[in-house]
Amino acid sequence: MECPRFLEAHHEPDPNEEGSQPMRVLGVNALFHDPSAALVVDGRVVAAAEEERFSRRKHGKRPLPFAAWELPEKAMAWCLEEGGLRPQDLDAVAYSFDPALAKPAEEMGLPDPWDWLRVQYAERAPQFLATALPGLSPSTVRFVPHEVAHAASAALASPFPVASVLSLDGRGERSSHLAGRYDHGRLEVLASQELPHSLGLVYESLTEHLGFLRSSDEYKVMALASYGEPRFLDDLREVLYATGDGGFVAEVPDWERWAPRRTDDGTWGTAHGGRAEHADLAASVQARLEEVLVDLATWLHGQTGDRVLTMAGGTALNCVANSRVWRESPFEEVWVQPAAGDSGTALGAALQLAAEAGDTVEPMGSAALGRAWGDEALARWLRTAQVPFTTPDDLPGEVGRILADNGVVAWFDGRAELGPRALGHRSLLAHPGPVENLERLNDVKGREQFRPVAPMVLLEDAAEIFSGGPVPSPYMLFVHEVAPAWRDRIAAVVHVDGTARIQTVDDSTPRLQATIRAFKELTGLPVVVNTSLNTAGRPMVDDPRDALELFGSAPVDALVLGPHLVRRPDVFAAPSGATA
């Protein structure tokens, strides 16, 4: 497959170009879903956040053409505030969609009669942004192709200056995939798959067919797949396959051929709340997706010979597939952007423009790029809410004891994470031993019971317990096999297929690391349950008010706000004279 000509003008930075200088770039993702903003200054990521964390609307908005004009106004304003900049101080605003590359939906074979409206909104984005950010000139806005923004979010944010890159998602302007190579900020595009072929759209369509919310609940299909058998795999190999030149065939099949369309009627309380063929179809598509990804990665390695593969795009949030690529492709290392979905394109677009300007781009280092509050500010929130709290000398020891006593802890510490994974900054923690804690936490969060919860594990202990995936694994983007001797000991975090989606914990999160060590001293287990600090249908907790609201409405036993500890009995003690 030849390098796609429609991407050629967007991957040749020239650091020697006269006038090259460090850039202050605001990245913006707005057109489809998960609107977000990111600020990159002199090649360093200063801030990044999703609009949902401010608006408290899950995913920020639905990915409809009629909503394409909506901008991540609060996220943009916060990024500028965090960087101490005004709109007029920006050298560029990087918008992660280039309408000049778009084709009419009917020419691409997409059943989207209103896609033209989405493209028109993108064309007017410079004016919309100038209105939302007074002082910004529309001429400052630059369009970055969607798949390039995904690719940059992986390779440029990774710790590897030379790496292959795969971007796979639902769709961009006219493609759904990019395969290439970054060499010290320079992108060489080796292949791209034009629409309507899209592994992401196939998975989205299956999500909807199974009764879940499209462009939102794809992770539920991945979890459900473990309960089925891939008995339709041979059929799917005939309609979903790599073409041997870096591309693939992937059009949405007629799902009714294998299982009837399901309407979400709330009966998925257990894994088998639907019909067996639904789980089998999920298992079959999941297995075929994994096979195609391995084929694509193997082809790419044949072109580059690189040691490292970086990945982004919504498909790269499929941690089961990522682990299979890690095990079976020729690459020695696989690094996945923690905000692999569209929210990460704000970051990628900004990094791409910085690299094109000649900046030396620094690795992101951590997904903790959002808002944070100091210790005294957190104490003021608690005092204002008239919530009794303590500031223990040994907070990790006290929280470790609560967990050892089978308490559930809402954990709020440091900067909020970018992306869909809770990574120890906005988490619910629990004991991994009692198997009933899985049902308990799913009840707390209002989730389907077939969905697993994940383990955090001390890095130094991870290899003893988990295998079949990379270690370290700091971003919870791979699944690992749980050693048989440990499966009963940490039963709450072991999925039905004997795997777990782990996060390794090291001294980059010292308070969390100390808490797990204290728990280990009490229980012998270097693992705790980690699930996101939110309830069903709500965005992850972001600010202290969100944390207090969750604590007041969900049956958790303690709340940690930085160094401060709130215990439920102290807050909800019966008034004097009251009876239980």
Side-chain angles (χ1 to χ4, degrees):
M1 177 175 287
E2 296 182 357
C3 172
R5 301 189 66 84
F6 65 85
L7 291 176
E8 285 180 346
H10 298 274
H11 64 267
E12 287 296 334
D14 185 0
N16 298 313
E17 181 181 350
E18 185 177 352
S20 290
Q21 60 182 357
M23 294 278 282
R24 293 163 292 189
V25 186
L26 180 69
V28 176
N29 167 58
L31 204 67
F32 293 110
H33 52 83
D34 297 294
S36 57
L39 180 65
V40 173
V41 177
D42 296 356
R44 183 176 66 88
V45 183
V46 173
E50 294 156 88
E51 186 72 4
E52 69 164 26
R53 307 296 174 87
F54 301 85
S55 69
R56 310 309 299 159
R57 182 184 179 190
K58 188 72 170 175
H59 296 299
K61 61 181 179 181
R62 293 296 297 148
L64 302 172
F66 312 103
W69 63 271
E70 294 184 43
L71 295 170
E73 295 189 32
K74 291 182 170 60
M76 293 189 303
W78 173 77
C79 284
L80 291 177
E81 178 185 349
E82 184 71 7
L85 298 176
R86 303 166 301 167
Q88 55 265 42
D89 297 326
L90 292 169
D91 296 298
V93 175
Y95 188 86
S96 62
F97 185 93
D98 186 349
L101 303 179
K103 293 166 61 176
E106 59 271 18
E107 290 185 22
M108 296 187 289
L110 296 179
D112 191 349
W114 289 97
D115 192 55
W116 62 269
L117 182 61
R118 179 184 285 118
V119 175
Q120 283 197 1
Y121 282 144
E123 290 171 344
R124 290 162 173 74
Q127 289 74 33
F128 292 163
L129 285 160
T131 300
L133 297 171
L136 179 76
S137 169
S139 64
T140 307
V141 179
R142 294 177 58 187
F143 297 113
V144 177
H146 191 71
E147 298 302 334
V148 172
H150 272 309
S153 79
L156 294 181
S158 81
F160 306 103
V162 178
S164 298
V165 63
L166 273 179
S167 165
L168 291 140
D169 68 347
R171 60 160 296 190
E173 298 86 355
R174 58 198 286 185
S175 65
S176 68
H177 158 250
L178 180 152
R181 183 176 195 255
Y182 271 93
D183 185 345
H184 294 86
R186 296 170 65 90
L187 171 62
E188 178 186 8
V189 180
L190 298 172
S192 184
Q193 181 57 59
E194 292 208 27
L195 295 164
H197 299 284
S198 169
L199 293 168
L201 290 182
V202 166
Y203 214 89
E204 287 183 15
S205 173
L206 174 65
T207 300
E208 186 175 47
H209 186 76
L210 294 176
F212 302 120
L213 184 61
R214 184 181 184 131
S215 299
S216 174
D217 291 350
E218 284 70 26
Y219 57 92
K220 297 182 183 181
V221 177
M222 183 180 68
L224 181 64
S226 297
Y227 290 88
E229 295 294 332
R231 58 190 175 99
F232 310 123
L233 182 55
D234 286 342
D235 291 342
L236 288 165
R237 285 173 176 151
E238 297 178 2
V239 295
L240 304 173
Y241 53 88
T243 51
D245 58 358
F248 49 83
V249 169
E251 292 192 79
V252 176
D254 179 9
W255 302 119
E256 295 279 351
R257 174 181 173 187
W258 300 289
R261 185 179 183 91
R262 178 183 167 274
T263 300
D264 188 4
D265 56 4
T267 61
W268 285 91
T270 67
H272 301 290
R275 295 167 61 169
E277 57 259 46
H278 292 126
D280 291 345
L281 182 55
S284 302
V285 175
Q286 174 65 35
R288 189 57 186 146
L289 172 69
E290 295 166 19
E291 292 177 344
V292 174
L293 291 187
V294 171
D295 288 344
L296 294 174
T298 300
W299 178 88
L300 180 56
H301 185 269
Q303 306 304 304
T304 68
D306 286 331
R307 190 179 68 84
V308 177
L309 172 66
T310 60
M311 297 176 65
T315 305
L317 290 172
N318 192 306
C319 53
V320 179
N322 293 346
S323 290
R324 190 157 176 186
V325 170
W326 181 84
R327 290 192 302 269
E328 298 182 18
S329 79
F331 290 99
E332 296 177 32
E333 290 196 54
V334 178
W335 191 92
V336 182
Q337 163 60 240
D342 273 10
S343 65
T345 64
L347 175 63
L351 291 172
Q352 181 68 21
L353 289 193
E356 289 181 3
D359 282 358
T360 299
V361 174
E362 298 180 16
M364 62 187 285
S366 167
L369 298 169
R371 291 190 290 177
W373 285 260
D375 295 350
E376 180 53 35
L378 293 171
R380 285 197 299 271
W381 274 93
L382 292 166
R383 293 188 193 104
T384 299
Q386 299 183 9
V387 171
F389 69 95
T390 60
T391 307
D393 292 334
D394 182 17
L395 177 76
E398 294 205 23
V399 176
R401 168 59 64 186
I402 294 170
L403 293 169
D405 290 339
N406 207 24
V408 175
V409 177
W411 182 273
F412 181 110
D413 190 28
R415 297 185 75 170
E417 301 95 336
L418 176 69
R421 305 285 191 248
L423 301 170
H425 299 270
R426 305 290 189 271
S427 291
L428 278 171
L429 308 180
H431 197 305
V435 66
E436 59 270 17
N437 275 353
L438 170 60
E439 182 176 351
R440 177 186 179 193
L441 286 166
N442 279 332
D443 285 343
V444 167
K445 291 170 64 75
R447 309 192 319 178
E448 299 89 348
Q449 288 299 337
F450 65 80
R451 291 172 56 188
V453 291
M456 286 176 170
V457 58
L458 294 171
L459 176 58
E460 60 264 30
D461 294 300
E464 176 189 349
I465 306 171
F466 303 104
S467 62
V471 173
S473 185
Y475 297 132
M476 205 185 293
L477 286 165
F478 299 87
V479 298
H480 295 64
E481 293 286 333
V482 182
W486 281 87
R487 291 182 183 178
D488 288 338
R489 298 183 67 186
I490 56 172
V493 296
V494 181
H495 198 31
V496 65
D497 59 0
T499 66
R501 187 184 68 200
I502 77 169
Q503 178 196 350
T504 52
V505 175
D506 59 20
D507 57 9
S508 63
T509 50
R511 189 145 39 210
L512 178 64
Q513 181 189 54
T515 297
I516 301 176
R517 284 178 173 167
F519 178 77
K520 179 184 177 182
E521 288 181 9
L522 294 166
T523 65
L525 303 176
V527 174
V528 297
V529 175
N530 170 37
T531 187
S532 56
L533 188 55
N534 66 326
T535 53
R538 301 275 307 215
M540 207 181 305
V541 160
D542 195 76
D543 71 14
R545 183 188 302 277
D546 303 332
L548 287 165
E549 288 177 351
L550 183 143
F551 182 71
S553 61
V556 298
D557 299 287
L559 168 65
V560 170
L561 279 182
H564 311 302
L565 177 62
V566 180
R567 296 175 182 265
R568 178 164 290 276
D570 296 339
V571 177
F572 297 101
S576 177
T579 58

